[in-house]
Amino acid sequence: MKSVYFTTPIYYVNAEPHMGHLYTTALGDMLKRYYQMTGSSVYYQTGTDEHGEKIVESSKKLNISPKEFCDKISDKFRSTWDEININYDDFIRTTDVRHKLFVQSILKKVYEKGDIYFDEYTGKYCVGCERYLTDTELIDGKCPDHQTVPKEIKEANYFFKMSKYQDSLIKHIEDNPEWIRPVRFKNEVLSFLKQPLSDLCISRPKSRLEWGIELPFDDKFVTYVWFDALLNYVSGIKETSKGDNIFDEFWQGCNHLIAKDILKTHAIYWPTMLMSAEIPLFNQLDVHGYWMMGESKMSKSLGNVIRPSTFDKHFGIENLRYFLFKEMKFGSDSSFNYDLFIERYNSDLANGLGNLLSRNAGLVAKNFNTIPAKVALTCDEETILKIHSRIVGDYKENFETRQFSKAIEDVMTLISATDKYITLMEPWKLAKDPGKKDQLARVLRCGLEVVRVSAVLLSPVMPQKAGAILDYLGETRPLDGTVSFEELTAFDSLKEGVELPKPPQFFPRFDSVRVEKILEEMEQETKTVSTETDSPETRVIEPIKDEITIDDFLKVQFKVGEIIEAHHVEGAQKLLRLMVDLGEENPRQIFAGIKSHYMDPKILLGEKVMVAANLKPRQMKFGLSEGMILAASGDDRLAVATFKGSAKPGDKVS
Ligand code: ME8
């Protein structure tokens, strides 16, 4: 039996769980269920990342100790996952003793081997930011966020010889082209590795930060948070919270699930750390894109954060999982908005799967009471059988190559073909003719069989809903691999004689009035009412402005710029501060009024945007703005204009 080990990033406890965290965590849950159903032994770990400077800062604000603060937020993550039925095996915290001891043992090993050295570092330290700032970040010598001159600090620290492993890492990536998926992230890492790697500073002096794991070879220092955090993936299975060591069974099947924000730390820091510690490399790094919060026109202020438990109460978390896994092409970014979510739910689940079930089950209940016995299939069912065999055949490959949206779309193709078949066969007419009982049984069984198979295939995506449907249809075989996937999905294996009471409403339709009411309630609950935007309820089309000549137009020089840094601006309600590479000697600082539309500014990193490059620089309250990035907007929506393909920083846009 194959052993597979899935991990999510361990989340920082300086924010409560939101939809981005939910996606990766639900992804691990879905994969665990899929691999179990198809016969693997699976272990799934998630957890929280609790050290670092920010945590100390957040705890001070609440006047509690860092540990108390971490306990509180870590609990929030764990209880959220419990509330929404995430089937994790272990929840690791970097403050767990088992983890601390493991980190220290690895540090000792790496140090004794000579891969850690002591060196002095000089930099400009901003206490407000609690980090070193680069010269390009300063404006008039000051930190733009805090308007203070950073302290020149000469700090001695420990460094990990990451550069020593650069060539071995490149070789590993080239020899294992599927190791980082999708392939464009592999290419991104390889292209980064064309530059010489610098060594990694892995300590912080206790004089500045006490909250961390003490270095085993120098008690005046704590471990840098990433060197500590990444090791959770191993510490958690070397000693599980039950006290078992399952490393030998699961490590070789380790599959890390992350979003692209932490690609570099996972594809470079982590494998070089493993090489130095002489631990075999993990098996796979699966990298997904970002969920963006496009605001729904149904709500003015709910756009930015969706609390998983609030969402669950009102719309059902499994319906959200369905949407997320169908909508996101693995590796690309996707946008969430309520309109689209409701549209997909109504068309696929309420009108699709739900309707197919209630139509057929209702007629069975009325005409047979119980599921009728098998009747030989005819050429009428040929199309359905063909689609069934294709999609069941492709299902495993789609899951294993992380093409979840394809696997789900396939199920919907089968459902809509069956819907057409039912409409054509008109079972309600057959029911009126006592001589056509067999024909009626065949058609209704076929409709219900598609519902059964669909529920099996969708069970990793929506386990509770699928389970309830299977229970209702009398399909009681477990989905944990004890019955083979082939048997579970074989056509026409619906049990006869199962009593079908009037079907419950598995997927009641959401009508717009009901949705508006729910959104209002959620708005009250989440108290995220924004004071900064007052978007109109109805769409106003901007009139076209006065005509200009081509010469006027050509005065504006548009260029491609790559966003290399993106920050919130303290005290500014709408602004993000972006550092944009225009292919010039230094990147430019641009302030953009897009904060309310980008939940996490990191989402913008690496985006190639359109910049009006020859605007006169503007001195703003927060610093100099040296250009303008272009964005589309309407109602309360906004999207920055970006380039795909081979556009490079500095390219002319004409
Ligand atoms: O980076 N879309 O923690 P973190 C999709 N502690 N996924 C998102 C997302 C979004 N908008 N926002 C967050 C850390 N995520 C470190 C990790 S691991 C050794 C240490 C998810 O709390 C996604 O999985 O910032 C992303 O990689 C992760 O949360 C970042 O979580």
Side-chain angles (χ1 to χ4, degrees), residues 17-18 41 120 172 174 354 366 370-371 400 413 424 428 435 576 625:
H18 59 63
S41 155
E120 204 152 75
H172 184 81
E174 283 172 346
K366 204 161 143 202
T370 61
I371 296 181
E400 269 147 50
T413 306
L424 199 76
W428 45 92
L576 288 185
S625 190

Side-chain angles (χ1 to χ4, degrees), residues 9-12 18 20-21 23-24 49 226 229-230 232-233 258-259 261-262 266 288-291 599-600 602-603:
I10 46 169
Y11 304 114
Y12 286 131
H18 59 63
H21 304 126
Y23 178 75
T24 322
D49 187 356
W226 271 103
L230 286 160
N232 89 87
Y233 299 134
I258 60 165
D261 54 340
I262 50 179
H266 282 75
H288 63 78
Y290 289 132
W291 277 100
M599 179 173 71
D600 178 351
K602 275 191 292 182
I603 284 171

Side-chain angles (χ1 to χ4, degrees), residues 93-194:
R93 301 180 54 184
T94 52
T95 47
D96 287 349
V97 175
R98 58 176 168 150
H99 174 72
K100 285 190 194 172
L101 292 177
F102 182 74
V103 171
Q104 288 180 323
S105 74
I106 294 296
L107 279 163
K108 192 160 171 280
K109 184 168 180 186
V110 174
Y111 181 68
E112 281 168 2
K113 179 172 182 186
D115 278 355
I116 290 178
Y117 62 91
F118 196 60
D119 202 3
E120 204 152 75
Y121 180 79
T122 307
K124 291 177 179 146
Y125 192 74
C126 169
V127 183
C129 299
E130 286 244 56
R131 67 181 181 93
Y132 288 99
L133 302 184
T134 60
D135 282 337
T136 50
E137 286 178 293
L138 303 178
I139 297 168
D140 297 334
K142 288 184 183 168
C143 163
D145 288 352
H146 298 95
Q147 292 298 306
T148 51
V149 180
K151 278 196 251 173
E152 184 101 7
I153 293 188
K154 223 183 194 181
E155 196 169 84
N157 263 313
Y158 287 90
F159 288 79
F160 164 55
K161 285 187 188 163
M162 198 154 74
S163 53
K164 178 174 158 189
Y165 297 97
Q166 177 159 9
D167 292 343
S168 320
L169 177 59
I170 294 175
K171 182 164 183 326
H172 184 81
I173 299 176
E174 283 172 346
D175 290 350
N176 299 278
E178 296 273 287
W179 189 54
I180 303 173
R181 293 189 301 191
V183 69
R184 70 194 162 92
F185 293 117
K186 176 198 85 168
N187 294 340
E188 200 176 299
V189 172
L190 277 178
S191 108
F192 183 82
L193 286 170
K194 285 196 179 125

Side-chain angles (χ1 to χ4, degrees), residues 321-334:
R321 286 170 61 131
Y322 176 86
F323 176 85
L324 297 179
F325 296 129
K326 179 164 183 227
E327 210 57 26
M328 179 173 261
K329 213 169 144 274
F330 202 79
S332 304
D333 296 342
S334 274

Side-chain angles (χ1 to χ4, degrees), residues 12 14 51-61 69 128-130 209 211:
Y12 286 131
N14 61 348
H51 292 123
E53 318 191 7
K54 282 275 158 220
I55 307 302
V56 178
E57 216 175 60
S58 308
S59 65
K60 273 187 192 151
K61 279 187 198 146
F69 178 79
C129 299
E130 286 244 56
L209 177 75
W211 182 240

